Each structure stands twice: as C-alpha cells, then as structure tokens.
Amino acid sequence: MSDFMPRPARDLTPPVQLSQPLTGPVELAADRGPVVYVPGAHGGYVAVRREDLPTVAAPPAPAPPAPAGLDPHAQRLAAKGVLAAGAGVGTYFGAQALALALDVLVQGLIALAVAAGVALAVGGRRGGGDTFITHHHVTNRWWGRSSTTIRNH
C-alpha cells in the first residue's frame, strides 16, 4: 500500500472482562416502551418510562402584570407632538420679532433718506445772506405709520 491510501480503523477500546455472569430478569427494549430523561435529585438525568410519568398537565404560567400608567409608545408620540407644536409657535414668534426689527430698520432708513433729501434740496443759505434753520420732526406711530413736520426759521 502507498502512503496516500487510507488505513483501516483500529478499535482502541479494550474488551470488557466480566468477573461474574449477569443474572436477573431480562428486559427487552420492545417491552420497555419510550423512555424520557428527567432531571434527577443529584444533578444528573434519570431514565423514566413515559407511561410512569404523571398525566396531570402543568398549570399555566401566570400572566405578566399589566403595566401601570400610560403606554410608553403613547407617551413618546405625545411628546413628539408637544415638541412640534412648541417649535411651530417659537418659529412664529421669532418670525414676528424679525419682521418688527426689519420694519423699524427700514423706517429709520427711509426717514434718514427723506431728511437727507430735504436737506440737500432746501439748503441752509439762500442767495445772499439770510440763514435759515430747518427743523425736521419725524413721529413714528404704531403699525408702521410715520408723520414728518418741517419748519424753517
């Protein structure tokens, strides 16, 4: 045989030497019936015939206790709704504040432009020697209304 051919397996278990002949009744496997292994008293398993087991059904496991309070999923859903409502209201008030600030800025720039235009158009001196003092009085009122009063002295 070559080195690549499988060799036949050898039986490594020693033969059983019986010191005494077996005595007692012989029980055939067909007479025994199915066997069930159940946990024994000392941590091992014991073979018990199935017909020797008790036939009483085990009582059903107790139902888990009902959770107290609201459903956690419902709580998370309600919290998301409150967060969305708060974000919407905050955005609304933020936009209102921004619009108010821009309105005040635009009104100030318009008033400044009107004052500069009037100052350039009228001028402080006329012709030859009279000096005029021009007073511009701008009153800002609610809801973006303004009034301007111009007096020359």
Side-chain angles (χ1 to χ4, degrees):
M1 281 194 200
S2 72
D3 291 334
F4 298 110
M5 295 295 292
R7 295 185 181 161
R10 293 186 310 172
D11 187 16
L12 300 177
T13 57
V16 177
Q17 300 289 331
L18 296 177
S19 59
Q20 296 178 352
L22 295 175
T23 58
V26 175
E27 182 179 354
L28 299 175
D31 294 339
R32 190 165 39 139
V35 176
V36 177
Y37 290 93
V38 295
H42 302 291
Y45 286 93
V46 178
V48 178
R49 282 187 277 191
R50 187 170 290 195
E51 63 257 8
D52 292 341
L53 290 175
T55 57
V56 176
L70 294 176
D71 182 22
H73 182 68
Q75 287 179 347
R76 284 190 294 272
L77 187 64
K80 288 177 185 177
V82 169
L83 176 68
V89 169
T91 303
Y92 172 76
F93 284 122
Q96 290 292 325
L98 182 64
L100 180 64
L102 286 176
D103 188 40
V104 168
L105 178 67
V106 167
Q107 284 182 7
L109 289 175
I110 289 173
L112 186 64
V114 167
V118 168
L120 290 175
V122 173
R125 295 181 174 234
R126 285 193 187 166
D130 293 324
T131 303
F132 292 96
I133 299 173
T134 304
H135 291 281
H136 296 278
H137 182 73
V138 178
T139 304
N140 291 324
R141 296 188 179 150
W142 291 98
W143 297 285
R145 292 185 356 217
S146 299
S147 63
T148 305
T149 305
I150 301 172
R151 285 190 321 174
N152 292 324
H153 295 281

